[in-house]
Amino acid sequence: MIEVAAAIIENEHGQILIARRKKGKAQEGLWEFPGGKIENNETVEECLKRELLEEMNINIRPYESFGVNDHYYGSTHIRLYAHKAKFVSGALVLVDHNQCEWVYPKYLRKYEFAPADVKFVEMLIRG
């Protein structure tokens, strides 16, 4: 099983940051909540702070668990931990993604998300 963390990052307008995986990456072309693999002896919050700084050049403040989703991509078992977070600072620079957008939750259905993220999309839309 691979443990992965995803950040549900909110800005001051109530929009959520989503990002599209670039060509050559697993799940290329699909949208996701940014994050990454949790390293040994790392908390979900520590992982999210590290990954968002590495992959997007931004600082965030995770503050609340949003849920866990187990998903299988073929024989690969992913356990995705979602955490709500606040955007703190930084200018977005994309590394593993080719596009990102701030989106109001009610518009999230317009995007094709990676299957492991869909549970959290539905939760956000329902409020």
Side-chain angles (χ1 to χ4, degrees):
M1 176 181 57
I2 300 169
E3 293 188 305
V4 180
I8 312 293
I9 304 167
E10 301 163 305
N11 68 14
E12 68 275 11
H13 305 293
Q15 297 167 308
I16 306 293
L17 182 66
I18 61 172
R20 188 174 63 194
R21 303 280 296 172
K22 73 179 180 183
K23 193 168 179 67
K25 294 285 181 181
Q27 307 298 314
E28 71 178 50
L30 298 178
W31 291 85
E32 67 178 359
F33 300 107
K37 291 180 188 168
I38 301 170
E39 295 181 353
N40 288 337
N41 301 316
E42 188 176 49
T43 67
V44 171
E45 294 91 339
E46 291 167 341
C47 171
L48 290 173
K49 288 179 183 180
R50 175 183 53 76
E51 286 283 352
L52 273 290
L53 192 56
E54 289 174 3
E55 293 186 3
M56 295 187 148
N57 193 46
I58 61 172
N59 293 295
I60 63 166
R61 182 179 50 83
Y63 67 90
E64 179 180 69
S65 173
F66 192 65
V68 179
N69 188 30
D70 284 295
H71 187 80
Y72 289 85
Y73 290 103
S75 62
T76 302
H77 178 193
I78 301 287
R79 178 162 290 157
L80 184 60
Y81 298 88
H83 251 64
K84 285 194 168 189
K86 292 287 185 188
F87 175 82
V88 175
S89 65
L92 283 162
V93 177
L94 301 179
V95 174
D96 285 341
H97 302 91
N98 61 11
Q99 189 176 347
C100 67
E101 292 186 19
W102 290 99
V103 179
Y104 288 105
K106 66 182 178 181
Y107 298 120
L108 289 172
R109 275 203 185 93
K110 294 182 176 187
Y111 300 84
E112 185 180 357
F113 277 83
D117 290 69
V118 170
K119 172 184 176 178
F120 304 120
V121 169
E122 294 301 325
M123 289 170 63
L124 286 163
I125 290 169
R126 284 195 308 266

